[in-house]
């Protein structure tokens, strides 16, 4: 899922305080899982902003709302009237949702309440870690299900560097060496011989090098 | 003042200072668990014990039901303090 972190309240306030009306708009899928941008968080942020407006003596009407996903047209049906009467939208979605709102409502100012951080998993309650960089040419089949692109700080494709020590990366003691994990995993699978094999060159043209990517189903 | 005489400015509170009227009393809202704190408040009522009128008790099925938004809405509507008992 997509992980995001809410921006500091001051930064959000500076963006939105020029408006007379603001809709704080949650996105109840990925960013709700990390407790940063769901409809509940939209309610909390709207409340904090209303109190901020009272403190600063700024006249601004702040309402909160939300939908299940801000990256698909269908979900916006239920908020058509709200969007039409909104002067500005503070979106708690990831960068995708914010841009979707901006594209869908051409004359409606939209602001991001979150910093979209990474594609990750939930390894424990409230603990999210990066696991994928959407490089477009998955190598997990070769690396025993551990991604060297997202989990090796140097994105190395051919084994650990000299900075790997006791299974940790030289960047931080908190970060596992991805190649140590790959070797351990291949060993556990009885596939350590595969580590010696030279894999084909990775196709980096499917990464960001070719500009923004798209994918279209021909049968739909 | 630090040891070398440098003056440190006190951090400003984000809230604007205002005059406090002499008869002002804090407006307190209490969220009480049905099974313990609210039962105690109920018992206090049965015993005809009196408490100040500037506190209001709201019964929750459990204090686990307390949500961020309840507390924030209370502050938004002018409550000075929130008391959670359970």
């Amino acid at each position: 899922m997509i992980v995001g972190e809410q921006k500091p309240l001051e930064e959000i306030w500076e963006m939105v305080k020029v408006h007379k009306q603001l809709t704080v708009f949650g996105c109840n899928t990925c960013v709700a899982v990390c407790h940063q941008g769901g409809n509940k968080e939209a309610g909390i942020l709207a409340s904090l902003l209303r109190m901020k407006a009272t403190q600063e003596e700024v006249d601004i009407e702040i309402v909160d709302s939300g939908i299940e996903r801000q990256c698909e047209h269908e979900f916006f049906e239920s908020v058509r009237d709200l969007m039409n009467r909104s002067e500005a939208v503070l979106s708690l979605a990831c960068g995708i949702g914010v841009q979707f709102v901006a594209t869908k409502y051409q004359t409606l100012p939209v602001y991001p309440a979150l910093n979209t951080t990474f594609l990750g998993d939930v390894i424990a309650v409230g603990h999210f870690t990066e696991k994928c960089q959407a490089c477009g040419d998955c190598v997990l089949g070769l690396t025993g299900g551990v991604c060297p692109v997202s989990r090796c700080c140097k994105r190395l494709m051919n084994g650990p560097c000299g900075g790997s020590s006791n299974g940790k990366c030289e960047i931080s003691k908190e970060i596992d060496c991805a190649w140590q994990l790959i070797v351990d995993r291949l060993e556990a699978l009885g596939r350590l011989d595969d580590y010696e094999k030279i894999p084909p060159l990775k196709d980096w043209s499917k990464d960001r090098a070719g500009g923004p990517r798209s994918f279209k189903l021909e049968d739909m | 003042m630090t040891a070398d005489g440098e003056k440190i400015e006190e951090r400003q509170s984000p809230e604007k200072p205002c005059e406090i009227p002499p008869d002002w009393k804090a407006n307190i809202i209490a969220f009480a668990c049905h099974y313990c704190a609210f039962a105690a408040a109920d018992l206090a009522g049965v015993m005809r014990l009196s408490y100040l009128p500037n506190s209001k008790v709201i019964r929750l099925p459990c204090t686990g039901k307390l949500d961020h938004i309840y507390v924030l809405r209370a502050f938004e509507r002018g409550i000075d303090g929130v008391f959670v008992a359970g």
Side-chain angles (χ1 to χ4, degrees):
Chain A
M1 62 165 190
I2 297 169
V3 180
E5 276 182 70
Q6 227 174 74
K7 286 175 177 285
L9 187 67
E10 276 299 326
E11 186 183 338
I12 295 172
W13 175 245
E14 288 301 316
M15 286 191 287
V16 301
K17 68 179 183 184
V18 293
H19 296 285
K20 291 278 169 244
Q21 195 279 347
L22 179 71
T23 299
V24 181
F25 199 45
C27 183
N28 223 12
T29 307
C30 312
V31 287
V33 177
C34 55
H35 305 277
Q36 298 295 301
N39 296 350
K40 180 181 172 179
E41 286 75 29
I44 293 169
L45 184 57
S47 177
L48 292 172
L49 286 169
R50 278 194 291 269
M51 282 191 268
K52 181 76 178 164
T54 309
Q55 279 181 347
E56 303 277 326
E57 293 172 2
V58 174
D59 184 23
I60 172 170
E61 186 211 343
I62 299 171
V63 294
D64 67 272
S65 180
I67 53 175
E68 285 306 302
R69 276 206 286 284
Q70 289 185 26
C71 51
E72 282 184 58
H73 287 292
E74 286 78 359
F75 294 97
F76 284 83
E77 287 296 316
S78 61
V79 289
R80 192 185 291 171
D81 293 342
L82 175 70
M83 285 297 169
N84 286 339
R85 60 176 189 270
S86 295
E87 190 191 309
V89 170
L90 175 65
S91 169
L92 281 87
C94 66
I96 304 163
V98 177
Q99 292 182 66
F100 199 87
V101 174
T103 311
K104 191 170 174 66
Y105 303 98
Q106 286 290 325
T107 56
L108 185 65
V110 56
Y111 301 96
L114 261 59
N115 291 323
T116 310
T117 39
F118 52 80
L119 304 181
D121 58 0
V122 191
I123 56 167
V125 177
H127 193 179
F128 311 95
T129 53
E130 182 165 23
K131 289 288 155 64
C132 179
Q133 290 214 331
C135 69
D137 184 29
C138 194
V139 295
L140 287 169
L142 299 169
T143 57
V146 179
C147 175
V149 181
S150 60
R151 298 177 70 180
C152 169
C153 295
K154 291 178 177 171
R155 284 186 167 203
L156 292 181
M157 298 302 295
N158 54 351
C161 70
S164 176
S165 166
N166 298 323
K168 297 291 177 186
C169 174
E170 63 182 342
I171 295 280
S172 158
K173 287 188 171 59
E174 303 290 310
I175 300 173
D176 290 323
C177 169
W179 275 99
Q180 180 72 56
L181 296 176
I182 292 168
V183 169
D184 290 349
R185 173 84 173 144
L186 289 176
E187 195 174 9
L189 294 172
R191 282 177 46 200
L192 203 51
D193 289 346
D194 287 2
Y195 180 56
E196 299 290 328
K197 291 179 190 160
I198 297 174
L201 284 176
K202 184 169 156 52
D203 184 1
W204 286 105
S205 72
K206 292 177 178 172
D207 192 48
R208 287 275 303 133
R213 295 163 286 180
S214 66
F215 168 62
K216 191 175 178 187
L217 289 174
E218 296 300 330
D219 56 344
M220 291 184 84
Chain B
M1 300 279 273
T2 57
D4 56 355
E6 189 192 348
K7 196 179 172 192
I8 299 171
E9 276 187 28
E10 268 188 42
R11 200 161 165 231
Q12 295 280 308
S13 162
E15 283 193 53
K16 292 191 173 51
C18 62
E19 288 289 316
I20 299 173
D23 59 343
W24 179 81
K25 284 196 177 69
N27 207 358
I28 306 291
I29 193 164
F31 290 104
C33 165
H34 169 77
Y35 294 97
C36 51
F38 190 82
D42 207 20
L43 184 64
V46 171
M47 292 167 72
R48 299 281 182 258
L49 297 175
S50 63
Y51 59 94
L52 294 172
N54 54 326
S55 58
K56 306 279 185 294
V57 183
I58 292 182
R59 181 173 63 100
L60 293 180
C62 166
T63 40
K65 178 71 183 80
L66 187 72
D67 197 274
H68 299 82
I69 203 73
Y70 297 175
V71 178
L72 289 168
R73 277 191 195 141
F75 285 129
E76 257 189 73
R77 291 170 193 184
I79 289 290
D80 299 302
V82 172
F83 176 62
V84 182

